[in-house]
């Protein structure tokens, strides 16, 4: 299409904003210098003709895989050519090349290489690292099996040590033990780090990691004893060859077990690892990435839905007047603005976890890991909380775009299918919530036995002081000022305390019925998940509120304060029952909260477009006709549709094959 | 043989599965007919969906056309007719995977909106497939708000023709099914202009493709709108009209006619037309909304007794994931909702049949109520069931994400139902308008339709429950739901009046209350659904354990609604904090009770493996073997050019020089 000017509605929206979007972009990026560098890398990729291709929506899965492989090889080459080495900068580069989608080398770059670095002996690094760095070896990380995911101890693949040949014999003894899902395993990789139950001297020593060659170097054919392939079509992840791997008496040398920590000696003697706390660190790091991903995916969906809602006109608000922008309808604002506020909240939470992780991992070398267990427990819950919320939020954004949201050209279907697996991978969300709950219960027990707890759970300390009173801890009269974020943090804190206490008491009651620990835990798990959710919700409101004080520009602070209030009040409105039941708020106050939410919608309305502009997604990265920066939606939908595969010929071959013969016969 | 983990679930059923199936079908004879239709369709290889998950958009479309053509033959062969008892089961048996569905909408619109002469001319042609029809209403720029459509039809007295045009890009017809590639004709909705005066939206029959070679007619630009989340087999299309002329006789003219001199004449009552539109909303609930949820529940629940993960008791075997309370809490409320809405659908069907009889007697009194109920329930049921399918999908963990689980396509299909036939928020606001009107009338002592008489009886009592068992009494929870619906409606009505009295214009006041209005409409529908479920259970046979298990599901449906929306019930103190703890306790107890019958309850839906088309949900429970076998059939496991073109150079050291 010819160059078109920016749609008048969007121009008006941008002119009416009360703050400068760039300033907010800087805050999200972590400073103006980071923004500059991000845009530099973005331009590097987007202006590179090597990374251009047809709209992926019109390609088959095989074609999409092929495009991804092509781009990934070039990407690796160019990253080195440009000397980009900072992890965040690599992340940007990759994300611009693949437009936020996964790619077949993800596991090689993100898991195989790092695992070699952290778990291989120097000898193993000599053998594997450089070839892998040069992509002669492409590896993946094969953990999940058909029958087991999050519950790692249940994995069934075996690695049995044979001292006579000094080899491990790898086997997939059952159908359920077939490795299933690892990215890049199906077609791309020639090696895999395989997690298997180690058997030596007749004893099972638990899960260990082994480097297993799976395809012949040179021909790329599977090696004898190896059955490997692609697991077939999925909801999304079309670019990724998630694979299966079945091993039948496949032998690898003893030296292929990753032995930096645990070891098997030539005679089969097993040497235990020292500590496993370090693996906590990796998990925390990956979960912090998912929290950031929740924020970004939701931000993209909000950008599309809010720009489109400013462009689309429909029906009438006032008799006789022109059709209004759909963003002027209260119901539309009520769908989208709380999600916009949520996206901002999650950005700040993601940044907080990342910073805390970097601060603590600084301590790992000096030996102070005391904060790690809490951070580990907290990130489990936050990973689940943010990914669940973003998952639902993306769908709400799509629904808010009506019929056109359903078309692939809106880009939201792709965001959703790419994002939704994060509710499952790196720890299934319900299991994650229960991990956080376990920490909460432990902290609660400490408090009731007279100990003090620190960190985000320190509000539990108040419980012992309240103990003399017969009613719920939270039932003390908190004067909640609904215009004051700090006061709302207190309200969320009381709710968390109440739900943690209630879950703990219910758990105790089950135990008093002489149920086994596991059984009692299971019978309380719905309560426990609620407690975790309330705890996470409190942490998010608290972090968002704390962020406000750091913002120096008054106009930006004002608009972020409105978003923070909306986030907190909307959460209360949605979970009113918890606040009412605990006596934290009265019915009259809830009515006020509901009213105030609606007032905030109107307050935020003039800044809505500027607030999504601040996320600063390039059109190419956004991948949406509805969410284009220039707002020329309808013209471009038509242009897009013309490229549909069904339109390749004017008369579809089905006419000659089926329709015409039928018409002739009838 | 059946996987013992699934087999054992069936041995302990507390009720007769076969009887429940018959109940759902409306009698054992209906079950027999349905099974015969399903068997006939599924044994015919042309209708196979075996490789569906591996096919491209083009292949899916071609298969759907082939099936539609073959279906004509099949129906003839089997002696099935459009008025026969088998007809309604055909679509279900095909899982909707067939082209020319809009052809039927085309025919229906002619039957409803056309004059006798037009019906006599077009219906036989359509029946014999001499032409293929579509229905072009929605435009790029306008959907639910029909008055906003921009396509024009200008009457030219000189030639006695209408000249149809797409005056701007947003006026292009967009989305109509079967129009992108298949249709030869379509009913176009356009603004009618006579002598430069606009008469509003009217339907016109327009030929768009040649009946000889299928090429586009002069002045027509049409094509496929491109890939969507689902419906790959349907060629949803666009249509651009440039000075396309159709004869005067092509305007469907049952209700209004343009005379040769350009005089515009209205005739008859449009009310019957509104009734038809309303009926469509109800007719989609069964096949498009309930069936996907029932299938998703079947897949997720069967899989959850086959999948074992982690241990509940030390030293024991890993537990079935359905034994985890959190898994029950995800799936069983969806199962209860599927049954609840199944009975809601029966209730609505009955009401509409009565409405139809009344309308034939020229009594239109029921129309506003029917309209309100159909709008509200279309929105509430589609939203609830869509969310339910997504929960089932995510409850299956990683494997749910594979297309081979069947769940992603069920989800992407059902979620379209939230948009078509009226966007849900707009529909709920229509229901709310009716509620507010009735509430005002009731407050003024005027008579109101039966479904809303409860609005007149505003009580300010408290929930009388004393222990958790009291919450298993329908009287208790029905009254709680009623209380919430009345409170939300009356508060919103009061708020509206306050605003208007304080000088706010009526439409502004309305927009300022829309969030609350939507909540009131939902509460109203939820109340009716709960009440209807309880009343249905009351009338069920007590034999064979049917009534007992349905009572449990009814309780679960009701208590889940309270548990997930506690604020509404605690507000104004109708339910106390202590009572809310009782609700939670009763609710969680019920999960464990229904858990025992979960598999028989989905077996009763009686879906064949072929119709589920799921590696996770088959009757025999051989989940992992099937997943492995199906994956191996994936085209990605044939040799891909990617290796030769990209991987080989990559692996063979072209990078190492860097």
């Amino acid at each position: 299409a010819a160059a078109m000017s920016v749609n008048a509605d969007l121009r008006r929206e941008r002119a009416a904003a009360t703050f400068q979007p760039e300033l907010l972009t800087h805050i999200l990026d972590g400073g103006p210098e980071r923004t500059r560098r991000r845009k530099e890398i973005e331009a590097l990729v987007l202006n590179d003709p090597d990374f251009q291709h047809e709209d992926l929506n019109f390609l088959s899965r095989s074609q999409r895989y092929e495009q991804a492989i092509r781009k990934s090889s070039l990407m690796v080459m160019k990253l080195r050519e440009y000397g980009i080495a900072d992890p965040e900068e690599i992340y940007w580069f990759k994300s611009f090349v693949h437009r936020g989608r996964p790619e077949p080398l993800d596991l090689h770059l993100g898991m195989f290489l790092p695992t070699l670095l952290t778990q291989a002996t120097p000898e193993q690094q000599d053998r594997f690292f450089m070839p892998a760095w040069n992509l002669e070896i492409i590896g993946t990380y094969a953990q999940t099996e058909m029958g087991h995911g999050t519950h790692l101890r249940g994995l069934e693949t075996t690695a049995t040590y044979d001292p006579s040949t000094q080899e491990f014999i790898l086997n997939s003894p059952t159908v359920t033990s077939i490795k299933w899902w690892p990215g890049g395993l199906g077609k791309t990789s020639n090696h895999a780090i395989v997690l298997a139950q180690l058997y030596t001297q007749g004893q099972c020593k638990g899960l260990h990691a082994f480097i297993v060659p799976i395809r012949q170097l040179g021909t790329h054919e599977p090696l004898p004893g190896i059955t490997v392939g692609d697991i077939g079509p999925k909801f999304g992840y079309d670019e990724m060859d998630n694979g299966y791997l079945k091993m039948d008496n496949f032998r690898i040398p003893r030296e292929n077990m990753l032995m930096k920590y645990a070891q098997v000696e030539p005679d089969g003697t097993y040497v235990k690892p020292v500590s496993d706390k370090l693996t906590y660190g990796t998990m925390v790091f990956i979960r912090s990435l998912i929290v950031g991903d929740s924020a970004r995916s939701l931000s993209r969906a909000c950008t599309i839905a809010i720009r489109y809602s400013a462009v689309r006109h429909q029906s009438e608000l006032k008799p006789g007047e022109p059709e209004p922008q759909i963003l002027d309808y209260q119901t539309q604002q009520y769908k989208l603005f709380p999600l916009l506020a949520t996206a901002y909240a999650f950005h700040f939470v993601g940044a907080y976890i990342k910073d805390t992780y970097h601060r603590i991992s600084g301590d790992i070398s000096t030996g102070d890991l005391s904060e790690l267990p809490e951070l580990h427990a907290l990130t489990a819950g936050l990973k689940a909380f943010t990914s669940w919320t973003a998952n639902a939020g993306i769908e709400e954004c799509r629904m808010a775009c009506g019929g056109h949201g359903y078309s692939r050209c809106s880009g939201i279907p792709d965001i959703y299918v790419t994002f939704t697996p994060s509710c499952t991978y790196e720890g299934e969300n319900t299991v994650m919530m229960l991990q956080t709950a376990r920490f909460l219960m432990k902290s609660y027990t400490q408090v009731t036995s007279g100990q003090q707890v620190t960190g985000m759970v320190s509000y539990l300390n108040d419980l012992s002081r309240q103990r003399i009173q017969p009613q719920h801890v939270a039932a003390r009269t908190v004067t909640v000022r609904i215009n004051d974020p700090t006061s709302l943090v207190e309200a969320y804190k009381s709710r968390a305390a109440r739900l943690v206490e209630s879950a703990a008491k219910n758990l105790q009651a089950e135990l008093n019925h002489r149920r086994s620990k596991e059984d009692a835990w299971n019978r309380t798990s719905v309560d426990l998940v609620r407690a975790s959710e309330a705890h996470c919700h409190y942490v998010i409101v608290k972090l968002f509120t704390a962020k406000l004080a750091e913002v120096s520009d008054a106009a930006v602070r004002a608009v972020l304060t409105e978003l923070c209030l909306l986030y907190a009040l909307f959460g209360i409105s949605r979970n009113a029952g918890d606040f009412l039941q605990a006596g934290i708020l009265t019915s009259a106050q809830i009515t006020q909260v509901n009213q105030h939410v609606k007032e905030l919608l109107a307050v935020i309305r003039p800044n809505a477009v500027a607030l999504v502009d601040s996320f600063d997604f390039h059109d190419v990265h956004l991948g949406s006709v509805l969410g284009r920066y220039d707002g020329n939606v309808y013209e471009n939908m038509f242009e897009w549709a013309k490229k549909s595969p069904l339109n390749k010929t004017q008369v579809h071959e089905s006419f000659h094959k089926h329709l015409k013969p039928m018409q002739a016969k009838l | 043989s059946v996987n013992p983990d699934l087999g054992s679930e069936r041995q302990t059923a507390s009720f007769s599965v076969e009887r429940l199936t018959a109940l759902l079908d409306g009698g054992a004879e209906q079950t027999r007919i349905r099974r015969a239709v399903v068997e006939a369709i599924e044994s015919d290889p042309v209708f196979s969906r075996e490789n569906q998950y591996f096919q491209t958009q083009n292949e899916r479309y071609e298969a759907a056309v082939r099936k539609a053509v073959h279906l004509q033959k099949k129906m003839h062969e089997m002696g099935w007719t459009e008025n026969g008892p088998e007809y309604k089961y055909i679509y279900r048996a095909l899982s909707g995977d067939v082209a020319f569905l809009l052809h039927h909408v085309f025919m229906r619109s002619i039957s409803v909106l056309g004059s006798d002469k037009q019906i006599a001319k077009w219906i036989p042609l359509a029946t014999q497939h001499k032409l293929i029809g579509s229905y072009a209403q929605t435009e790029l720029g306008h959907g639910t708000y029909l008055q906003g459509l921009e396509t024009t039809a200008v009457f030219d007295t000189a030639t006695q023709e209408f000249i149809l045009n797409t005056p701007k890009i947003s006026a292009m017809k967009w989305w109509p099914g079967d129009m992108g590639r298949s249709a030869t004709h379509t009913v176009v909705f356009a603004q009618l202009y006579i002598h430069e005066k606009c008469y509003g939206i009217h339907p016109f029959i327009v030929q768009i493709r040649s009946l000889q070679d299928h090429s586009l007619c002069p002045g027509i630009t049409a094509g496929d709108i491109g890939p969507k989340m689902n419906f790959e087999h349907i060629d949803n299309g666009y249509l651009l009209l440039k000075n396309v002329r159709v004869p005067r006789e092509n305007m469907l003219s049952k209700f209004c006619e343009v005379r040769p001199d350009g005089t515009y004449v209205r005739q008859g009552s449009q009310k019957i037309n509104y009734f038809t539109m309303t009926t469509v909303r109800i007719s989609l609930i069964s096949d498009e909304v309930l069936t996907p949820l029932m299938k998703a529940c079947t897949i997720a629940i069967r899989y959850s007794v086959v999948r074992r993960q982690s241990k509940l008791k030390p030293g024991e075997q890993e537990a079935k994931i359905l034994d985890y309370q959190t898994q029950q809490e995800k799936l069983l409320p969806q199962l209860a909702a599927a049954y609840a809405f199944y009975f809601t659908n029966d209730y609505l069907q009955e009401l509409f049949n009565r409405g139809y009889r009344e309308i034939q007697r020229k009594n239109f009194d029921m129309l506003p109520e029917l309209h309100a109920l159909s709008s509200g329930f279309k929105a509430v049921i589609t939203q609830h069931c869509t969310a339910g399918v997504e929960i089932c999908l995510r409850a299956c963990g990683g494997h749910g994400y594979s297309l081979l689980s069947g769940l992603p396509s069920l989800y992407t299909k059902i979620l379209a139902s939230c948009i078509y036939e009226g966007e849900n928020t707009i529909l709920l606001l229509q229901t709310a308008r009716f509620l507010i009107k009735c509430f005002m009338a009731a407050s003024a002592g005027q008579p109101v339709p039966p479904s809303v008489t409860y609005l007149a009886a505003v009580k300010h009592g408290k929930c009388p429950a004393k222990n958790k068992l009291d919450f298993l009494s329908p009287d208790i929870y029905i009254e709680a739901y009623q209380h919430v619906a009345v409170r939300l409606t009356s508060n919103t009505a009061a708020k509206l009046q306050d605003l208007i009295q304080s000088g706010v214009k009526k439409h502004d006041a309305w927009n300022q209350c829309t969030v609350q209005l939507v909540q009131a409409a939902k509460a109203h529908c939820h109340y009716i659904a709960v009440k209807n479920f309880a009343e249905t259970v009351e009338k069920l046979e007590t034999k064979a354990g049917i009534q007992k298990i349905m009572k449990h599901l009814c309780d679960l449906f009701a208590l889940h609604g309270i548990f997930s929306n506690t604020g509404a019930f605690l507000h104004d103190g109708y339910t106390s904090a202590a009572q809310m703890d009782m609700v939670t306790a009763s609710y969680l107890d019920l999960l464990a009770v229904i858990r025992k019958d979960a598999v028989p309850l989905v077996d009763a839906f009686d879906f064949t493996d072929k119709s589920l088309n799921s590696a996770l949900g088959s009757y025999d429970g051989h989940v992992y073997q099937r997943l492995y076998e199906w994956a191996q059939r994936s085209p990605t496991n044939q040799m891909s050019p990617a290796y030769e073109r990209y991987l080989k150079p990559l692996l063979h050291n072209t990078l190492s020089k860097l």
Side-chain angles (χ1 to χ4, degrees), chain A residues 66 136 146 148 181 230 314 323 335 391 395 404 406 416-417 430 518 598 644 647 649 652 657, chain B residues 58 62 140-142 181 224 307 312 318 330 390 398-399 401 411-412 425 516 636-637 645 653:
Chain A
E66 200 181 316
E136 286 154 40
M146 209 188 283
H148 287 91
W181 281 112
D230 175 86
Q314 204 76 182
E323 295 181 87
K335 285 175 198 169
N391 184 71
E395 282 298 76
H404 297 331
Y406 192 74
Y416 174 74
V417 297
T430 302
E518 290 79 6
K598 285 183 265 174
S644 168
N647 291 330
T649 54
H652 196 272
K657 267 165 111 173
Chain B
N58 260 324
E62 192 189 322
L140 202 38
H142 287 88
R181 301 275 86 186
D224 176 84
R307 178 111 176 145
L312 264 177
E318 289 185 85
K330 286 173 195 169
E390 211 241 355
H399 295 326
Y401 189 73
Y411 176 60
T412 51
T425 304
Q516 269 172 283
T636 41
N637 285 324
R645 267 187 228 161
N653 254 342

Side-chain angles (χ1 to χ4, degrees), chain B residues 436-450 452-457:
Chain B
I436 297 292
K437 215 168 134 187
C438 292
F439 177 77
M440 305 298 251
S443 310
Q446 290 157 10
V448 291
V452 283
T453 44
Y454 75 97
L455 289 173

Side-chain angles (χ1 to χ4, degrees), chain A residues 330-488:
Chain A
Q330 190 189 54
T331 45
Q332 188 77 349
Q333 295 167 4
Y334 191 73
K335 285 175 198 169
L336 296 177
F337 295 170
L339 294 172
L340 179 64
T342 305
Y344 273 96
F346 290 180
H347 270 288
F348 299 134
V349 174
Y352 166 85
I353 302 177
K354 207 173 69 186
D355 293 346
T356 315
Y357 169 74
H358 285 310
R359 183 170 54 76
I360 296 182
S361 48
D363 294 341
I364 290 178
S365 44
T366 57
D368 181 14
L369 299 178
S370 56
E371 279 182 78
L372 206 50
E374 188 196 346
L375 190 67
H376 178 247
L378 179 65
T379 50
L382 286 175
K383 178 258 174 187
F385 189 98
T386 58
S387 60
W388 266 337
T389 311
N391 184 71
I394 294 164
E395 282 298 76
E396 281 175 62
C397 288
R398 188 186 49 69
M399 293 283 198
C401 294
H404 297 331
Y406 192 74
S407 166
R408 291 263 170 188
C409 79
S410 78
I412 308 185
D414 238 342
I415 298 175
Y416 174 74
V417 297
T418 306
F419 179 76
T420 191
S422 58
C423 296
T424 310
Y425 61 56
E426 297 304 332
E428 196 278 326
N429 276 356
T430 302
V431 180
M432 292 297 97
M433 278 297 183
L434 289 170
Q435 263 184 29
T436 300
R438 209 171 280 281
F439 182 78
L440 293 172
M441 291 304 108
K442 211 174 110 193
S443 304
Y444 178 84
T445 314
Q446 279 176 319
V447 167
T448 48
S449 63
Q451 285 170 269
Q452 290 277 306
V453 291
T454 56
M456 290 289 187
V457 286
S458 56
Y459 60 84
L460 294 174
N461 293 328
D462 299 346
L463 288 167
S464 54
R465 264 176 268 142
Q466 302 288 325
R467 193 132 311 277
I468 14 167
Q469 295 171 11
Q471 84 255 56
H472 281 307
V473 54
R476 66 200 152 119
T477 38
V478 189
T479 347
V480 179
R481 298 177 306 280
I482 64 165
N483 269 317
D484 176 6
T486 325
S487 179
L488 298 177

Side-chain angles (χ1 to χ4, degrees), chain A residues 111-121 125 260-261 278 282:
Chain A
M111 286 299 286
F112 191 77
L113 287 174
T115 307
L116 286 181
L117 281 178
T118 54
Q119 295 188 44
T121 62
Q125 298 213 7
K260 187 166 176 184
Y261 301 106
L278 279 173
T282 321

Side-chain angles (χ1 to χ4, degrees), chain A residues 172-412:
Chain A
S172 309
T174 59
V175 177
T176 46
S177 75
I178 297 174
K179 293 290 175 188
W180 200 267
W181 281 112
L185 172 64
K187 299 275 119 184
T188 313
S189 302
N190 52 25
H191 280 69
I193 290 177
V194 169
L195 267 84
Q197 303 285 358
L198 165 64
Y199 284 87
T200 182
Q201 298 177 335
Q203 279 185 313
C204 180
K205 299 291 180 186
L207 279 187
H208 289 76
F210 303 84
I211 301 176
V212 182
I214 54 175
R215 286 176 185 270
Q216 185 74 51
L217 296 183
T219 64
H220 211 56
E221 291 293 331
L223 293 166
I226 296 285
T227 310
V228 64
D230 175 86
I231 63 163
K234 297 143 298 190
F235 208 176
Y237 274 53
D238 281 356
E239 287 77 12
M240 183 69 101
D241 54 324
N242 297 86
Y244 57 76
L245 171 67
K246 188 169 172 291
M247 293 170 291
D248 295 299
N249 289 318
F250 189 76
R251 289 176 170 259
I252 56 169
R254 186 185 66 91
E255 295 79 13
N256 275 24
M257 174 174 141
L258 286 174
M259 292 212 258
K260 187 166 176 184
Y261 301 106
Q263 285 163 16
V264 172
E265 291 176 351
D267 67 349
T269 309
Y270 178 74
V271 185
K272 259 210 237 165
V274 203
S275 158
D276 60 352
K277 258 197 180 158
L278 279 173
T279 54
Y280 271 18
T282 321
M283 281 197 261
V284 168
F285 178 70
I286 291 175
R287 286 172 193 167
S288 81
L289 289 183
I290 295 178
V291 174
D293 203 27
S294 304
R296 273 183 299 276
S297 300
L298 184 56
S299 305
R300 283 171 73 187
C302 283
T303 304
I304 296 165
I306 287 178
R307 285 187 186 153
Y308 175 64
S309 299
V311 170
R312 181 142 175 116
H313 290 253
Q314 204 76 182
S315 191
E316 58 179 22
L317 264 175
K318 298 187 171 78
E321 286 193 11
E323 295 181 87
Q325 294 162 284
I326 58 173
L327 200 55
D328 285 333
Y329 289 94
Q330 190 189 54
T331 45
Q332 188 77 349
Q333 295 167 4
Y334 191 73
K335 285 175 198 169
L336 296 177
F337 295 170
L339 294 172
L340 179 64
T342 305
Y344 273 96
F346 290 180
H347 270 288
F348 299 134
V349 174
Y352 166 85
I353 302 177
K354 207 173 69 186
D355 293 346
T356 315
Y357 169 74
H358 285 310
R359 183 170 54 76
I360 296 182
S361 48
D363 294 341
I364 290 178
S365 44
T366 57
D368 181 14
L369 299 178
S370 56
E371 279 182 78
L372 206 50
E374 188 196 346
L375 190 67
H376 178 247
L378 179 65
T379 50
L382 286 175
K383 178 258 174 187
F385 189 98
T386 58
S387 60
W388 266 337
T389 311
N391 184 71
I394 294 164
E395 282 298 76
E396 281 175 62
C397 288
R398 188 186 49 69
M399 293 283 198
C401 294
H404 297 331
Y406 192 74
S407 166
R408 291 263 170 188
C409 79
S410 78
I412 308 185

Side-chain angles (χ1 to χ4, degrees), chain A residues 312-324 326 329 403, chain B residues 137-151 170 173 189 191 201 277 281 419-424 426-427 430 433:
Chain A
R312 181 142 175 116
H313 290 253
Q314 204 76 182
S315 191
E316 58 179 22
L317 264 175
K318 298 187 171 78
E321 286 193 11
E323 295 181 87
I326 58 173
Y329 289 94
Chain B
Q137 181 174 295
T138 309
E139 295 172 0
L140 202 38
H142 287 88
T144 305
Y145 180 64
L146 293 183
Q147 292 107 294
L149 297 178
E150 297 170 293
T151 303
S170 56
K173 293 293 173 188
F189 283 77
Q191 303 283 0
I201 290 294
M277 269 176 22
R281 287 191 184 130
I419 303 156
Y420 58 62
E421 296 303 335
E423 197 275 331
N424 279 351
I426 297 170
L427 293 183
Q430 289 178 9
R433 205 175 278 280

